[in-house]
Amino acid sequence: MDQTAVTYREITPGARVAPPGAWVDVAPYAIPQTANPHFIANGVCVLLDDSQIDLCGEDRAWFYRRADMVTANAGAERAAQFSVSFDPRFERVDVHSIAVIRAGQRVEHSATAFYEVLRRERNMERLLFDGRLTIHVTLPDVRVGDVVETSYTLFGMRKSLSGRHSAFVPFEWGVGIVETRLRQRTPTHRTIAERTYGDVPQPTQAEADGVIDRRWRTFERPGIRFEALAPPWIFQGAMIQFSEWRSWAEAAATFTPLYEDSGPLAEEVEAEIARIAAAEPTPSGRATAILRFVQGNVRYLAIAMGEGGYTPRPLADICATRYGDCKDKSKLYVAMARKLGLDACPALVATRDGPALDQWLPTGQAFDHCIVRVRIDGRSHWLDPTQEAQVSPLGQLAECRYGWALPLAPGVEALEHMGEEPYIHSLEASEQVVLGKSPDAPVKYEWRVTMRGWRAEQMRARVGREGEVGLFKLYTEDIQRSFPTATPTQQLVVKDDHAFNELTTLEQFEIANAWIPRGAVFVFNTLDLFMRSMLVRLDAGERKLPVDLGHVGKMTRRVEIEMAVPMRVTPWRRAVAGSNISFEAELHVLSRKKYELTQTLDIRAWTLPASEAQVYREIVAELEKSDIELVRGVKGGKFVRNGQGGGAFGVWDAIRWLLIAALIGYWLWRYFGPGL
């Protein structure tokens, strides 16, 4: 089956086996006798990663070649799989080579391989269909020591991009690659801007016959350690950005016409517009009424096939089907808003990279979501019609905060900052624990939780999906993981205040056998359902990048413990503080039988400087010991008075000894006189 020449063969419409274009440079690479041990991962050593981009033809052509040396059986299983995906509506693919090189002999499989054509729809569970096809081949007889070399070229791009080239190409990964090559061919009349991030190698350049040929190469560059919890908008490895877009204004001017639609709206939509006009006299009231209508009456479904990934459907289709993706729902919102006299337009955002967009070269391919900007009284409001129904008024509902956005309106010249996330008291948890006189007495445990802002909206969405019964059933299962005998006595949403975007839940449980024997004593632990999970652990070691803290806001927890038998408790207070985050915990003695734990986690910005990583670790350590452990002795089946818990000497001990000392002093003074 030895083959060196590649013949033409159709795989499926839009995909074929064919030789590479004449412009491709299939330069040789080194194949060592044994793999460099510093570049082995998962049973494979990647010898070559080669990307070549050609902008001189009618369609953009992107050639890719990879060579893997198999070093273990696990690597053979992976290297034997070849896949390439494409969208047949605007892309086509040529497979050039699927070869196994063994002991210097090359066996070419591309012409005779069995190609499976799959439509995988990786985001189907998110109701997003892109129609991409995957060509897949499983190679026979791949062994340790073999080199598997594959190559293909992908042609085309969406018409809505007007042929403008834009791409990010990395030079570093978590695993080292022996040799990385990047090449870009550009006709002299086209201007492609470049911006580098990290340690990108210096390019070489040649120019001939009206073509600029730029090349980058790295050799034996080791893999990098990606820092956990780094902000997702920060590039951790070396990266180069190419862009043919001259400005953000050009991007706005390109996409704005795609959202303009003067077609008629459905009768029921026009009726809703009339109802809102009569019921809501203020711009803010109208803005939120439209939002609730689109969120609640147009279900989410994304058909992102071909141009559907960038272009919304006609208003008539959106109204007729009552479904749509973010582009469709934003387009309908804007159409309704303008009929009601509101200054509204679609806005493109990047849900992951948004805070860094102002540092990028302008590009129309930076965005992955569409929302709405509404201007009221000189202020921009950023609303997402794809969210589940937001019932609160403007100013209280949670608006989108993704860093930078690109409004799609005539005359837009630049990105617009979406403002900082408002600082709110987003979670307030209150627990009451009532303990009996013996370890056999059931413990009564109550959780009362108030959520505000985005947390309240998330809870409403969960209640809407699961129903109160279903949701509290899930919560019960969660509590029973710690207290298997816990029985709910009351579970309900006690308050849902739309005006202030605040929701409170109440859960009351009776827990039998909550005290666990440990030798001669019994132990009970409170159960933190909220604070502990706010932050996750951060690995030890040097930190170079900021720590991603998530949402801004304050979270508090209060635990009141009431005992039937007095217990000695020592009050304490612990606090850890950084520039943008702080945590405080304090144990109070309220009476001989009542104690209170208070905790406050305060996050004032999205990130924490790398220099304060240890502060973050210390706060996580505090959260991981956020529960109180009570330890009590038992005699005759009852708890012993003054059994220890949380400390050996408490405030009542101090008062008792002060009284004793005062009494002794009094009698000494009485019998011996002031001259003692």
Side-chain angles (χ1 to χ4, degrees):
M1 189 176 164
D2 289 348
Q3 286 183 285
T4 56
V6 177
T7 58
Y8 288 92
R9 172 191 170 191
E10 184 180 51
I11 300 170
T12 191
R16 65 178 183 172
V17 176
W23 62 272
V24 174
D25 183 4
V26 190
Y29 56 93
I31 299 179
Q33 291 293 322
T34 58
N36 185 330
H38 299 289
F39 291 83
I40 295 175
N42 300 314
V44 165
C45 174
V46 183
L47 301 179
L48 178 69
D49 184 282
D50 182 7
S51 291
Q52 301 181 41
I53 305 166
D54 180 60
L55 303 177
C56 300
E58 182 178 348
D59 292 322
R60 181 180 70 179
W62 195 312
F63 170 86
Y64 180 71
R65 180 168 58 142
R66 180 183 174 103
D68 293 341
M69 173 174 274
V70 178
T71 61
N73 286 330
E77 296 168 0
R78 297 165 63 90
Q81 310 301 317
F82 167 78
S83 294
V84 57
S85 296
F86 70 105
D87 189 323
R89 289 158 184 79
F90 63 88
E91 291 178 319
R92 57 189 175 87
V93 63
D94 282 357
V95 177
H96 309 309
S97 178
I98 307 174
V100 176
I101 303 169
R102 180 180 302 154
Q105 298 297 312
R106 182 186 185 94
V107 179
E108 180 61 58
H109 293 271
S110 59
T112 57
F114 172 70
Y115 291 86
E116 295 181 284
V117 181
L118 311 172
R119 181 173 168 180
R120 302 173 71 181
E121 295 297 355
R122 297 182 180 182
N123 295 303
M124 185 168 61
E125 69 281 355
R126 295 170 51 205
L127 300 179
L128 194 159
F129 300 86
D130 59 20
R132 295 184 67 82
L133 298 181
T134 298
I135 299 169
H136 180 79
V137 171
T138 298
L139 288 172
D141 191 21
V142 176
R143 309 175 190 176
V144 173
D146 289 350
V147 173
V148 178
E149 180 188 314
T150 59
S151 63
Y152 62 88
T153 299
L154 191 64
F155 300 89
M157 64 173 64
R158 285 185 172 90
K159 292 181 180 179
S160 53
L161 300 175
S162 302
R164 297 181 184 88
H165 172 54
S166 178
F168 281 92
V169 182
F171 285 92
E172 291 175 327
W173 296 265
V175 175
I177 292 178
V178 175
E179 184 177 3
T180 302
R181 300 174 187 172
L182 172 62
R183 178 187 182 211
Q184 183 164 273
R185 299 177 74 247
T186 309
T188 53
H189 66 270
R190 295 178 69 172
T191 301
I192 310 297
E194 298 171 6
R195 181 164 293 176
T196 60
Y197 308 85
D199 185 18
V200 173
Q202 290 297 313
T204 62
Q205 178 172 314
E207 183 175 337
D209 301 324
V211 175
I212 299 172
D213 191 329
R214 289 173 64 79
R215 304 187 185 212
W216 295 258
R217 179 178 179 268
T218 65
F219 186 72
E220 292 191 343
R221 179 172 288 197
I224 63 172
R225 183 181 72 87
F226 286 91
E227 295 188 8
L229 298 182
W233 57 85
I234 294 179
F235 295 130
Q236 296 201 43
M239 182 91 66
I240 187 168
Q241 180 191 6
F242 299 112
S243 183
E244 199 170 3
W245 298 78
R246 294 172 296 179
S247 64
W248 293 110
E250 184 177 60
T254 298
F255 294 120
T256 296
L258 303 180
Y259 289 80
E260 300 298 327
D261 191 339
S262 57
L265 295 172
E267 289 185 7
E268 59 268 31
V269 177
E270 291 285 6
E272 179 64 16
I273 292 172
R275 187 198 68 77
I276 293 172
E280 300 288 351
T282 65
S284 60
R286 293 182 175 188
T288 52
I290 300 168
L291 183 66
R292 286 191 286 272
F293 174 79
V294 178
Q295 288 175 337
N297 292 274
V298 180
R299 73 182 191 276
Y300 183 85
L301 179 65
I303 309 296
M305 302 175 185
E307 293 303 314
Y310 281 69
T311 305
R313 295 182 300 146
L315 285 171
D317 292 348
I318 299 169
C319 294
T321 60
R322 285 296 183 101
Y323 70 72
D325 62 6
C326 59
K327 302 180 297 297
D328 297 339
K329 298 186 93 174
S330 296
K331 181 176 180 176
L332 177 59
Y333 181 103
V334 169
M336 295 178 67
R338 289 175 177 172
K339 282 181 173 285
L340 286 165
L342 297 180
D343 180 3
C345 70
L348 301 179
V349 296
T351 56
R352 186 192 68 177
D353 299 312
L357 285 189
D358 63 323
Q359 303 169 33
W360 288 16
L361 293 172
T363 170
Q365 293 178 270
F367 310 101
D368 62 0
H369 192 40
C370 183
I371 60 171
V372 170
R373 185 195 71 177
V374 181
R375 297 278 297 171
I376 298 176
D377 296 331
R379 178 188 169 191
S380 293
H381 296 272
W382 307 94
L383 308 178
D384 188 348
T386 68
Q387 293 286 336
E388 298 192 48
Q390 293 176 286
V391 295
S392 299
L394 206 62
Q396 293 294 332
L397 63 80
E399 296 186 23
C400 299
R401 306 292 177 187
Y402 295 122
W404 296 88
L406 182 67
L408 300 183
V412 168
E413 295 291 331
L415 298 170
E416 181 177 341
H417 196 265
M418 303 176 72
E420 302 299 330
E421 181 180 10
Y423 177 89
I424 61 172
H425 190 174
S426 63
L427 184 130
E428 186 176 355
S430 177
E431 302 169 29
Q432 286 192 324
V433 185
V434 179
L435 306 174
K437 294 182 178 181
S438 71
D440 297 329
V443 172
K444 295 181 179 180
Y445 209 134
E446 174 185 293
W447 288 268
R448 182 183 294 266
V449 184
T450 297
M451 291 152 279
R452 301 182 179 93
W454 64 272
R455 290 188 190 275
E457 292 177 358
Q458 282 191 347
M459 178 57 69
R460 288 192 196 99
R462 292 197 67 183
V463 171
R465 291 192 301 269
E466 309 290 343
E468 282 194 37
V469 173
L471 179 63
F472 285 125
K473 180 180 178 182
L474 294 174
Y475 283 3
T476 297
E477 293 172 355
D478 192 23
I479 291 169
Q480 288 175 342
R481 292 186 183 95
S482 297
F483 297 120
T485 60
T487 302
T489 58
Q490 188 175 29
Q491 292 177 299
L492 71 159
V493 175
V494 295
K495 183 178 73 171
D496 187 2
D497 189 332
H498 294 179
F500 291 96
N501 203 6
E502 182 175 298
L503 185 146
T504 301
T505 62
L506 174 68
E507 295 184 84
Q508 294 175 333
F509 282 77
E510 191 169 278
I511 308 171
N513 303 315
W515 290 87
I516 306 300
R518 184 190 294 170
V521 297
F522 282 80
V523 178
F524 172 80
N525 286 278
T526 58
L527 179 57
D528 173 15
L529 296 175
F530 306 99
M531 298 292 283
R532 189 192 305 268
S533 61
M534 292 295 176
L535 302 176
V536 299
R537 288 185 179 182
L538 179 65
D539 295 338
E542 181 186 6
R543 185 79 186 183
K544 297 180 180 179
L545 299 176
V547 180
D548 187 4
L549 299 178
H551 283 282
V552 169
K554 180 167 74 171
M555 288 70 69
T556 60
R557 179 185 180 221
R558 174 182 171 274
V559 185
E560 183 181 285
I561 302 174
E562 183 177 341
M563 303 182 184
V565 180
M567 179 177 182
R568 289 186 298 178
V569 173
T570 301
W572 52 260
R573 179 183 179 275
R574 296 193 296 266
V576 183
S579 59
N580 296 329
I581 186 173
S582 62
F583 177 75
E584 180 179 316
E586 188 168 4
L587 184 65
H588 310 264
V589 176
L590 304 180
S591 70
R592 295 182 63 197
K593 297 181 180 180
K594 189 175 291 187
Y595 314 94
E596 179 186 74
L597 171 69
T598 58
Q599 297 173 316
T600 300
L601 177 63
D602 200 16
I603 298 176
R604 296 176 292 277
W606 282 349
T607 62
L608 185 70
S611 60
E612 299 181 42
Q614 187 55 34
V615 171
Y616 179 92
R617 296 186 186 101
E618 291 173 7
I619 291 177
V620 171
E622 287 293 334
L623 288 172
E624 290 180 346
K625 55 185 179 185
S626 63
D627 279 315
I628 302 173
E629 182 178 82
L630 304 175
V631 182
R632 305 218 60 170
V634 175
K635 185 175 181 180
K638 304 291 184 180
F639 288 128
V640 177
R641 291 173 62 88
N642 297 328
Q644 291 186 0
F649 189 82
V651 65
W652 295 110
D653 301 273
I655 294 172
R656 185 180 300 110
W657 283 109
L658 285 172
L659 290 173
I660 292 172
L663 186 61
I664 292 172
Y666 169 77
W667 286 107
L668 288 172
W669 176 84
R670 180 169 179 177
Y671 282 99
F672 295 101
L676 180 65

